[in-house]
Amino acid sequence: MKVFKFGGAGVHNVERIQNLAAQLQGNKEEDLIIIISAMGKTTNALEKVAEAFYAGKKEDALQLFDVVKKQHINTAKYLLVTRFNACLSQLMDFFTEVEWLLHDNPIREFDYYYDQIVCCGELLSTCIISQYLNESGIQNNWIDVRDIIRTDDNFRDANIDWDKTKMAVDQLLSASTKQITVTQGFIGATDANESTTLGREGSDYTAAVFANILNAESVTIWKDVEAVMNADPKSFPDALPIRELSFDELIEMAYYGAQVIHPKTIKPLQNKGIPLLVKCFLNPAAEGTIIHKKHSKNLPPIIVIKEQQALLHLESRDYSFVGEKPMAALYEIFSHLKIKPNLIQTGAINVQICLDDRIDKIEKLALAANDIFDVQVEKGLSLLSIRHYNETILTELLKNKEIVLLQKTKDTMQALYR
Ligand code: ASP
Ligand code: MG
């Protein structure tokens, strides 16, 4: 069996959904699980609903939710004929669930409400698409993935309970041969049947979880780009497609901030040696990129730029060396604040830490480190990382840049600049 994943861009309007059905006409006879995200920017819209609700602006929340409702009803209306009423009644059930909650007053933490509200994006999109595929002669089963993906209650970044999820897959999916299952990415549920989400862009990860448990032959992530590129084409018009990558290379790219695939996706596939294909739904015949266990050779320089970086200069207060004790204390703070530094450099009596400029985190970090270090913060920086760099590209990309921190290993160069 195979796993396909379509993200928000792949299903963001009527034409894209029709396109998806046309594309799947060729897969009718296959044993296939299709993981789908919320339509277009629905997740962002639902985040706004959750924020308004939590801020006590009930009317605003309901109004914002109404926009989401209308969009989905309109899409269903355009796409469906015979199955419209059945679909509408499913949609109504999901709407009611959210509206019910919106009429309450928040008494739990924000992240809990976020997940209960935001999860409906995927439920709505998959209902419409599943019905439309059935109407177009592509027989499929719709499954509420919350009956399968079991997680803990770490809302907004829930962790999968693999044993329970495996059991649920065996019970609900094992019988399926030569048939198509349509289900949601990004969402799951706790043992208490509370909805959870796996982190933004988490649908890729859902696809990998199913593939791992079912020993799938491959996972295909259908995107609006032709392939994985060696740089973001918006900033680098000469960016090149990469046809073949190893899991090792992909995980490094994700680590340095390339937004190709959700980083959690890689491990479940690597562990079972399941190849990951990135292909373009606008041109399914195009080659795309294959990511697998094989070592990637002759890679071009891979360029990643992260904007909005902050640099913390920490200097030991009493001129004592920065040894293992202060560093251990620092890492303790990172772990407590869930901070992932992008670059660290230590000197005799100082440490420099580059991290994403998240005001809440930086203030807390500065405060917590204040016991041991004098802390200074510089903001508005950019971090350039180049894998497989060469002198030509370094000269070109570092030209006219005021560099504040530079690190090089054999494979990777990182430069933080103003
Ligand atoms: N709909 C979710 C998001 O926008 C999950 C995903 O697209 O993978 O983050
Ligand atoms: Mg998405």
Side-chain angles (χ1 to χ4, degrees):
M1 57 112 14
K2 291 181 188 162
V3 179
F4 279 5
K5 182 254 166 175
F6 290 88
V11 296
H12 90 124
N13 60 22
V14 169
E15 290 81 55
R16 288 275 160 97
I17 297 173
Q18 286 166 333
N19 184 48
L20 183 146
Q23 184 191 332
L24 290 174
Q25 292 293 348
N27 303 94
K28 270 198 235 175
E29 300 303 313
E30 283 182 56
D31 194 359
L32 190 64
I33 296 197
I34 307 177
I35 309 291
I36 302 177
S37 299
M39 290 176 61
K41 301 274 175 242
T42 306
T43 304
N44 294 1
L46 291 169
E47 282 185 339
K48 294 274 178 293
V49 175
E51 282 160 18
F53 164 74
Y54 206 70
K57 298 179 190 156
K58 218 175 266 189
E59 285 312 311
D60 290 2
L62 284 162
Q63 252 173 36
L64 289 166
F65 188 60
D66 212 45
V67 177
V68 174
K69 277 170 64 174
K70 290 205 173 101
Q71 274 166 354
H72 285 86
I73 295 175
N74 282 338
T75 307
K77 236 183 235 165
Y78 268 111
L79 287 168
L80 300 167
V81 184
T82 55
R83 291 177 179 258
F84 176 71
N85 286 335
C87 181
L88 188 65
S89 100
Q90 284 177 310
L91 298 183
M92 285 303 183
D93 287 345
F94 294 127
F95 296 154
T96 311
E97 240 176 80
V98 173
E99 280 167 341
W100 222 48
L101 182 148
L102 294 181
H103 280 105
D104 259 351
N105 292 320
I107 43 165
R108 295 179 61 169
E109 77 276 22
F110 174 71
D111 290 356
Y112 163 78
Y113 293 106
Y114 176 104
D115 281 2
Q116 310 318 303
I117 295 167
V118 163
C119 74
C120 93
E122 271 64 14
L123 294 162
L124 302 175
S125 68
T126 51
C127 267
I128 298 172
I129 294 163
S130 166
Q131 294 282 13
Y132 178 65
L133 292 178
N134 274 323
E135 213 177 278
S136 314
I138 301 163
Q139 288 308 317
N140 71 92
N141 278 332
W142 178 91
I143 286 186
D144 187 333
V145 87
R146 296 173 301 175
D147 295 331
I148 297 185
I149 302 281
R150 290 281 118 181
T151 71
D152 64 6
D153 61 359
N154 190 24
F155 295 106
R156 283 184 80 178
D157 191 18
N159 302 294
I160 306 250
D161 182 326
W162 282 87
D163 289 337
K164 288 186 185 147
T165 301
K166 269 181 203 146
M167 258 162 52
V169 166
D170 285 345
Q171 278 165 13
L172 287 160
L173 283 179
S174 60
S176 83
T177 45
K178 297 268 179 287
Q179 79 177 26
I180 297 180
T181 302
V182 170
T183 196
Q184 307 81 41
F186 176 57
I187 70 176
T190 66
D191 281 343
N193 285 325
E194 293 169 327
S195 302
T196 53
T197 63
L198 308 175
R200 287 302 307 262
E201 304 302 325
S203 296
D204 294 349
Y205 182 44
T206 308
V209 171
F210 274 101
N212 175 296
I213 294 174
L214 290 160
N215 295 309
E217 175 187 328
S218 63
V219 172
T220 308
I221 296 193
W222 294 93
K223 285 175 151 303
D224 54 2
V225 291
E226 197 209 315
V228 176
M229 310 293 278
N230 76 323
D232 182 352
K234 282 183 216 116
S235 327
F236 295 90
D238 298 339
L240 301 164
I242 307 174
R243 296 299 171 203
E244 194 181 0
L245 276 173
S246 65
F247 286 119
D248 294 11
E249 186 60 39
L250 187 70
I251 209 156
E252 293 291 340
M253 286 171 71
Y255 174 78
Y256 290 111
Q259 283 171 346
V260 189
I261 270 128
H262 192 288
K264 280 193 201 164
T265 312
I266 305 163
K267 181 173 152 59
L269 299 180
Q270 191 277 347
N271 288 180
K272 289 256 177 110
I274 300 167
L276 172 63
L277 312 167
V278 175
K279 290 181 62 94
C280 183
F281 55 74
L282 299 168
N283 182 10
E287 191 183 347
T289 300
I290 178 163
I291 299 136
H292 51 187
K293 278 202 158 168
K294 273 201 230 145
H295 187 68
S296 0
K297 279 175 289 203
N298 304 327
L299 287 171
I302 296 175
I303 304 163
V304 184
I305 297 179
K306 282 189 121 188
E307 307 287 358
Q308 289 185 30
Q309 298 295 295
L311 181 66
L312 264 69
H313 301 264
L314 310 184
E315 198 151 316
S316 111
R317 279 199 177 281
D318 57 359
Y319 213 71
S320 56
F321 282 119
V322 180
E324 49 304 340
K325 281 219 178 98
M327 283 310 280
L330 205 53
Y331 273 92
E332 210 35 66
I333 300 172
F334 292 158
S335 140
H336 180 66
L337 296 175
K338 294 193 178 147
I339 286 177
K340 293 191 192 83
N342 296 325
L343 191 63
I344 294 191
Q345 189 142 311
T346 51
I349 55 162
N350 61 60
V351 190
Q352 313 214 55
I353 305 163
C354 163
L355 66 174
D356 295 345
D357 186 0
R358 292 255 324 254
I359 178 93
D360 50 329
K361 302 238 168 176
I362 289 181
E363 271 171 11
K364 283 185 192 147
L365 172 59
L367 201 71
N370 201 37
D371 278 350
I372 332 172
F373 299 102
D374 259 331
V375 184
Q376 275 176 32
V377 185
E378 181 176 353
K379 298 191 173 203
L381 304 170
S382 306
L383 179 64
L384 165 71
S385 307
I386 312 178
R387 304 256 312 144
H388 319 294
Y389 59 88
N390 55 44
E391 285 314 314
T392 326
I393 194 144
L394 289 191
T395 321
E396 186 188 322
L397 293 184
L398 297 179
K399 188 173 60 193
N400 303 332
K401 296 215 163 68
E402 201 181 328
I403 293 171
V404 287
L405 190 59
L406 184 93
Q407 254 179 37
K408 269 186 190 176
T409 65
K410 187 166 68 55
D411 295 319
T412 311
M413 187 281 332
Q414 290 193 285
L416 186 67
Y417 60 88
R418 290 199 176 93

